[in-house]
Amino acid sequence: MNAPDADRPQGGSVDSRPRLHPWSRYVALGDSFTEGVGDPEPRSPGGLRGWADRVAEELSVGHEDFAYANLAVRGLLLRQILDEQVGPALALQPDLITLNAGGNDLIFRRSDPDKLAVRMDAGVELLASTGATVVLFTGPDWGATPVLGQVRGRVAIFNENLRTIAARHDAVIADLWALRQLTNPLMWDPDRLHFSPLGQHTIAMMVLDTLNVPHTLQPMTPKELPERSWREARADDLIWAREHLVPWVLQRIKQRISEEERHAKRPDPGPVFGARMPPGTFIGNTPHT
């Protein structure tokens, strides 16, 4: 989708600064993919960064009033995402919405992709009726992954349904299936279900390119964090795997995620860089304060 031309100021003066995109309020909906599982960052809400944060970081550049909320909750099925997140998202009055849902249904429930598409179509229709730009994600190609490769056919069918839904409601497709860089094992978390920091970075680049937004992200080069924080994040990997990843996998197997355990990552829209994450931390290839 092409961003509209920069607004021309009223009067005789002309602002030479380009308006890089038209959005001022971004809300992300989804499950662990959108929450950012696989991309630990202690200073981010929930201890995770992820592709959505990375996209929001770039979208906030040059937009002082830009606000970002992330309602994603790991482990949710498509119905739960639509039932629990669409209403709160609409209440935030976003002009940009990303929605990823259905992966847990296809992998853990072996759900019918056509029936999932019927639910998704109704949800996207509601979101698109607000006039917001809606971005949908196809599923990635797990064909080379043991066990997960068994769901490849259902994912492919669901992806084609998503393309039809996007065409019906003038939504945008962010195509993970076509993002062949994701065949590189470095793009994946060791659990092979979620994406590594490099994978999250690569997906963020794809989303920004899909939206035709200029950005500073470079292929295969995630923006670095301050040295101390990066070492702390690496040291926390084993703790994260023990305390978060393993329980998550067990919960998915047993399908026992209770209402009390569901917490949106960033339920309230606000500046991308909060008090503990000063502006400029992730802008440019070299971190600075």
Side-chain angles (χ1 to χ4, degrees), residues 107-168:
I107 295 172
F108 297 107
R109 294 292 184 90
R110 298 183 176 272
S111 300
D112 184 326
D114 294 318
K115 292 180 179 179
L116 290 177
V118 172
R119 286 188 183 275
M120 178 68 89
D121 183 72
V124 174
E125 181 177 21
L126 184 57
L127 293 171
S129 69
T130 66
T133 298
V134 179
V135 181
L136 306 177
F137 288 80
T138 62
D141 185 356
W142 275 296
T145 304
V147 181
L148 292 180
Q150 297 176 13
V151 305
R152 189 181 192 225
R154 282 193 293 275
V155 173
I157 293 171
F158 187 57
N159 287 350
E160 291 307 303
N161 285 329
L162 286 175
R163 297 182 197 282
T164 300
I165 293 169
R168 280 169 46 82

Side-chain angles (χ1 to χ4, degrees), residues 259-280:
E259 293 289 339
E260 304 82 54
E261 294 173 308
R262 297 178 187 171
H263 302 289
K265 177 178 178 176
R266 297 175 62 121
D268 301 313
V272 175
F273 299 102
R276 293 186 300 155
M277 192 177 296

